[in-house]
Amino acid sequence: MSIPGIPVSQLSHEEVLVTQDIARLRIHVERAIRRIKENKLFDNVIPLAIAGSINQLFAVACPLANYQNKPLVKAWVK
C-alpha cells in the first residue's frame, strides 16, 4: 500500500494522479471489506471448537459478498 507523506511543497502532476488512483481504489476495497463484515456468518459468536476454521469461513464469506446486492463499481457491469 502506498501512503503519500505530507509534502513540504506541492505534489507533481504524476504524484497527484497516483494519489487519486489510490484513493479511488481504496474506497472500493473498504466497501468490499464492509460487505464481508456484514455477512451473516459473523453475526454470532464463533465457538472455540471451530475457531481453527475461521480462515475457511472467511474464504466462504468473500465470494458470497461478491454475489450479494449489486456490483461495487457500475463500470464493471457487463
Side-chain angles (χ1 to χ4, degrees):
M1 180 164 67
S2 177
I3 300 174
I6 299 173
V8 176
S9 62
Q10 283 189 328
L11 295 173
S12 69
H13 181 67
E14 293 81 21
E15 291 173 328
V16 169
L17 294 178
V18 168
T19 302
Q20 288 175 347
D21 288 341
I22 292 170
R24 222 174 274 121
L25 293 173
R26 185 176 293 153
I27 290 169
H28 300 301
V29 169
E30 289 173 0
R31 286 179 184 167
I33 291 170
R34 186 189 73 227
R35 280 187 177 184
I36 294 167
K37 285 182 177 180
E38 290 175 351
N39 199 306
K40 299 290 182 189
L41 288 174
F42 302 111
D43 279 352
N44 299 322
V45 176
I46 298 173
L48 195 55
I50 63 168
S53 302
I54 193 69
N55 287 337
Q56 292 172 339
L57 287 172
F58 189 76
V60 168
C62 291
L64 288 175
N66 286 335
Y67 289 113
Q68 67 184 169
N69 301 329
K70 56 186 177 177
L72 288 172
V73 182
K74 290 180 184 178
W76 294 347
V77 177
K78 292 181 182 180

